[in-house]
Amino acid sequence: MSMVFEAQIVPLSVSDDGVIRVGRTRVTLSTVIHAFDHGHTPEEIVTDFPALQLPGVYAVITYYLNNREFVEGYL
């Protein structure tokens, strides 16, 4: 059996005013990272912000962990 891997897109977008938001929501990257850094799980974040989808929150957190210097510079 062969496995197929596909690249996953991080659901982030930059608004006209330079704010990074998660997907097509009004929830900001800083909101998700702040919650994560304060111990909230992705499931809790989705519960707090129902406009978000769980796979997207995991993708955003993964992006943050892989690009911590850039994200912290943005924040």
Side-chain angles (χ1 to χ4, degrees), residues 2-69:
S2 64
M3 296 180 67
V4 177
F5 296 96
E6 63 181 63
Q8 299 292 308
I9 296 173
V10 180
L12 294 173
S13 60
V14 181
S15 64
D16 291 338
D17 57 354
V19 176
I20 300 177
R21 300 190 185 281
V22 180
R24 296 180 183 194
T25 72
R26 294 182 47 85
V27 181
T28 63
L29 172 63
S30 61
T31 298
V32 172
I33 299 308
H34 179 76
F36 176 72
D37 280 344
H38 283 84
H40 294 268
T41 66
E43 290 79 7
E44 290 170 328
I45 295 169
V46 170
T47 299
D48 291 341
F49 302 96
L52 299 176
Q53 295 182 350
L54 187 58
V57 172
Y58 271 102
V60 168
I61 291 169
T62 300
Y63 177 81
Y64 167 60
L65 294 174
N66 286 321
N67 300 280
R68 193 176 291 247
E69 186 175 321

